[in-house]
Amino acid sequence: MWRRVATAALALGAGAGAHAIATSEDPARTLKICRHLPPRLLRDSVAAAAIAFDYQYSLWGLQPDSPAWLTAKHDAHLRSANRLQELCFRNGGIYIKLGQHIAQLEYVLPQEYVQTMRESMLKRCPVSSYEDVRGVFKKEIGELPETVFAEFDPVPIASASLAQVHAATTHDGKKVAVKVQHDHLLDTSVIDIATVDLVVNALNYIFPTFDYRWLVDEIRESAPKELDFLCEAQNSERCLVNFRKLSPHIANSICTPKVYWNLSTSRILTMEYIDAKEVTDVKGIKDLGIRPVDVSNLVNKAFAEMIFKHGFVHCDPHAANMMIRPLPQDSKKWFVLGSKRPQLVLLDHGLYKELDHATRINYASLWKALLRADQNGIKEYSIKLGAGEDLHALFAGVLTMRPWERVIDPSFGHLVLDGNNTDRSEMQMYANLYFPQISELLRRLPNVILLMLKTNDCLRAVNHALVGGSTPESFEIIARASSEAVFEAKRMEKRFFLYRFIIWLEELLNELHLFGMKLWLHYQQPRRILAVAG
């Protein structure tokens, strides 16, 4: 086994390096980049071999699903997660992005991996020295930051996997946030993707049920876009335009920082500085006079509109990328129950996914069926989205985090997650039980749907921090946005009067269903308020 892993690592590394140099327009630069390959390749090979050996040795001779086997498997998961975490931090760059992605795949990957990555990857990102920052400015703009700006704080206010943010003041007195890409990251990203590919393929070779090669495909596609800050700036502006044109009813409640194009390049992004609280800072949000449940509902509305109506979706909505402040135009208005309305500030627009019309409507139709507990609809649209006839029930479970019996329960609150330990234990049990089938499902699904799963997981984590689970209101929000998208598509396709009349009847029945949901919500609301009051 050791020889196979070592041979595969060396062959892949040498082949990738030779191919890169031979096909490069700048062989000298590519050769310089390839200097980063040997240490990364060595670390990856050792980590992959250690993880593989740990699982084989720890589970050797134990009866599957026995108490001893389950304990040994848990311990192996935990040790391997720590090894992978250390590998990500030592290599940095794209590896940090991989760790952050793993941190959001709750109930899809073993919980030991998710929790280990979640506790560290969003808080321990690398920090570039100020000399490195000055070097990036010199390469990109031709001047140093202290010349470009009237004031530039050399200590970053935040750091992420690909960049860090500094506070600065322009020469005309405006306070800005300057996002500066980590030096050499653009050069090493090609090598990082190749070596990440090695780790995942090596583990899949040794453990065929561990098939997460789709993670590498997703990173390979998204990394170049995330490394181009001008692309991020365009996404930011397009996102805001979509809300103003397609969702004007909540457009004022959504904000993205203004971009200073004259002070931005592909590796430096200068934006308006916005003073706000992190979306999961419950105490800070309450101190602003805003209710956490209102924040949860606004986040759900924003992403329901993006997914089902805009078809242009921010796919990295973890806590560090969303902030909350009071709605600016409400500063002199009265507030319901003395609370202020929130405004959602969306940050880090590097990772977006565009849903084509058919995918968007099929996805909306699937959620409409899920909320109606419509078994035939769930099956039909799961198949259309790539899950297959045999795994449609599992797909529904992964989307909703509910077992099939709850998914097809006709009661209004059948999909509500309370976030309690019983819910979590139940879903972890199902994740462990159906691990091979989940791997197969993820292999089948197109990348755009995989990113929707990741987005759902991020939003669940935010809702859990804000209100302890999913609110009943969140499903009313999803029900309305998804059904509106479906009916709008039907009206565009069928223009004859009789069809229009039938669609009108369907919409009427849908409104009755939503009214029933509202009544149920009204019944649940007192308990929900008591639950979140503390």
Side-chain angles (χ1 to χ4, degrees):
M1 181 191 71
W2 291 93
R3 289 182 179 178
R4 285 188 295 176
V5 172
T7 301
L10 291 172
L12 179 62
H19 176 74
I21 294 171
T23 58
S24 174
E25 295 180 359
D26 187 355
R29 176 176 174 271
T30 306
L31 183 60
K32 180 182 176 182
I33 293 171
C34 287
R35 289 188 307 174
H36 295 277
L37 178 61
R40 277 171 158 72
L41 189 59
L42 178 60
R43 287 194 287 264
D44 291 355
S45 301
V46 171
I51 290 171
F53 178 78
D54 194 346
Y55 279 110
Q56 289 203 342
Y57 176 78
S58 300
L59 303 178
W60 184 268
L62 298 178
Q63 181 66 31
D65 297 323
S66 67
W69 184 87
L70 291 173
T71 299
K73 187 177 181 181
H74 165 76
D75 292 342
H77 279 333
L78 197 56
R79 288 191 299 270
S80 299
N82 285 322
R83 288 189 185 100
L84 186 57
Q85 177 197 62
E86 182 62 25
L87 177 69
C88 290
F89 281 126
R90 291 193 68 186
N91 283 349
I94 298 297
Y95 283 81
I96 300 290
K97 209 68 180 169
L98 172 67
Q100 290 177 346
H101 200 137
I102 290 173
Q104 305 300 334
L105 296 175
E106 192 168 13
Y107 310 122
V108 176
L109 287 172
Q111 197 66 12
E112 294 84 355
Y113 284 86
V114 173
Q115 288 302 325
T116 299
M117 296 300 176
R118 185 171 290 176
E119 290 168 3
S120 60
M121 285 297 160
L122 298 180
K123 302 298 182 183
R124 289 176 51 192
C125 289
V127 177
S128 295
S129 68
Y130 185 53
E131 284 307 308
D132 285 343
V133 170
R134 296 174 89 239
V136 173
F137 264 86
K138 193 67 177 176
K139 291 176 189 174
E140 292 294 304
I141 297 180
E143 297 182 73
L144 298 176
E146 53 265 33
T147 304
V148 176
F149 298 98
E151 296 179 12
F152 188 91
D153 190 345
V155 179
I157 56 176
S159 183
S161 57
L162 306 182
Q164 60 193 47
V165 180
H166 293 258
T169 304
T170 63
H171 287 289
D172 58 359
K174 294 177 181 176
K175 190 173 183 180
V176 294
V178 186
K179 184 175 179 179
V180 184
Q181 192 174 111
H182 295 309
D183 199 19
H184 304 305
L185 188 59
L186 193 63
D187 293 341
T188 61
S189 62
V190 176
I191 299 300
D192 284 349
I193 293 171
T195 51
V196 167
D197 196 10
L198 164 68
V199 174
V200 175
N201 277 282
L203 290 175
N204 176 246
Y205 176 69
I206 298 163
F207 303 106
T209 57
F210 187 94
D211 191 358
Y212 285 85
R213 289 173 290 181
W214 58 269
L215 261 178
V216 182
D217 293 337
E218 189 270 305
I219 291 173
R220 184 181 289 111
E221 180 182 344
S222 63
K225 297 175 184 177
E226 292 190 80
L227 290 169
D228 184 353
F229 290 172
L230 293 179
C231 178
E232 176 180 342
Q234 291 166 356
N235 289 343
S236 171
E237 294 194 343
R238 181 178 172 185
C239 171
L240 208 55
V241 168
N242 283 344
F243 275 103
R244 289 169 180 165
K245 288 186 176 180
L246 304 175
S247 307
H249 57 292
I250 65 166
N252 289 337
S253 298
I254 309 299
C255 173
T256 64
K258 174 187 173 182
V259 176
Y260 290 82
W261 290 95
N262 61 317
L263 297 173
S264 299
T265 71
S266 61
R267 299 182 65 200
I268 296 172
L269 179 58
T270 304
M271 304 163 286
E272 167 192 10
Y273 184 93
I274 296 179
D275 187 15
K277 300 294 183 181
E278 190 173 291
V279 72
T280 55
D281 180 3
V282 174
K283 183 182 182 302
I285 288 169
K286 287 181 177 179
D287 289 344
L288 293 175
I290 298 172
R291 300 190 308 166
V293 68
D294 292 336
V295 174
S296 174
N297 290 336
L298 177 57
V299 169
N300 290 325
K301 285 179 185 177
F303 281 86
E305 294 288 319
M306 278 193 271
I307 292 169
F308 300 124
K309 296 184 180 179
H310 306 176
F312 187 66
V313 187
H314 188 311
C315 290
D316 201 14
H318 59 70
N321 288 341
M322 294 189 287
M323 303 184 78
I324 295 295
R325 66 178 180 179
L327 196 65
Q329 50 265 56
D330 273 3
S331 57
K332 296 182 180 180
K333 295 182 180 179
W334 61 275
F335 305 106
V336 179
L337 298 178
S339 61
K340 298 178 182 178
R341 292 191 295 176
Q343 184 180 60
L344 174 63
V345 182
L346 292 172
L347 306 174
D348 196 348
H349 299 264
L351 181 58
Y352 269 73
K353 204 68 178 180
E354 195 153 6
L355 283 70
D356 61 62
H357 178 78
T359 301
R360 179 172 63 86
I361 300 306
N362 286 334
Y363 192 63
S365 300
L366 175 58
W367 270 103
K368 182 170 177 284
L370 287 167
L371 291 161
R372 292 288 194 91
D374 174 8
Q375 295 188 50
N376 292 331
I378 293 170
K379 183 175 182 179
E380 176 186 353
Y381 293 106
S382 294
I383 292 172
K384 286 184 177 181
L385 290 168
E389 189 170 348
D390 56 329
L391 295 180
H392 76 277
L394 182 62
F395 184 37
V398 169
L399 272 174
T400 61
M401 294 299 114
R402 300 279 73 186
W404 180 246
E405 293 76 15
R406 288 289 299 273
V407 170
I408 60 176
D409 183 341
S411 62
F412 283 119
H414 66 296
L415 297 182
V416 173
L417 286 168
D418 293 328
N420 55 43
N421 290 331
T422 302
D423 274 348
R424 297 175 71 85
S425 298
E426 181 182 38
M427 290 313 302
Q428 288 167 17
M429 179 191 71
Y430 277 103
N432 289 328
L433 186 62
Y434 295 107
F435 184 76
Q437 291 89 338
I438 291 175
S439 293
E440 171 60 20
L441 174 66
L442 298 179
R443 187 192 65 78
R444 291 183 189 180
L445 294 173
N447 278 3
V448 66
I449 299 302
L450 293 173
L451 278 177
M452 293 304 102
L453 291 178
K454 178 198 172 185
T455 301
N456 288 343
D457 288 335
C458 289
L459 296 176
R460 279 193 198 96
V462 169
N463 281 320
H464 185 268
L466 287 168
V467 294
S470 58
T471 65
E473 298 98 321
S474 66
F475 290 102
E476 181 197 357
I477 290 166
I478 294 172
R480 182 165 294 281
S482 60
S483 58
E484 285 178 356
V486 171
F487 289 128
E488 178 62 27
K490 286 185 176 181
R491 283 194 295 270
M492 291 177 63
E493 291 175 1
K494 300 177 179 179
R495 301 182 182 277
F496 292 111
F497 173 77
L498 180 60
Y499 287 127
R500 291 259 180 176
F501 180 70
I502 293 172
I503 293 169
W504 178 81
L505 288 178
E506 289 180 0
E507 288 186 87
L508 181 61
L509 292 173
N510 187 67
E511 285 299 321
L512 291 174
H513 178 81
L514 291 174
F515 180 71
M517 186 178 287
K518 275 183 175 290
L519 289 179
W520 179 83
L521 177 60
H522 181 73
Y523 170 74
Q524 292 288 322
Q525 191 68 12
R527 287 190 288 178
R528 173 60 59 177
I529 292 175
L530 288 174
V532 302

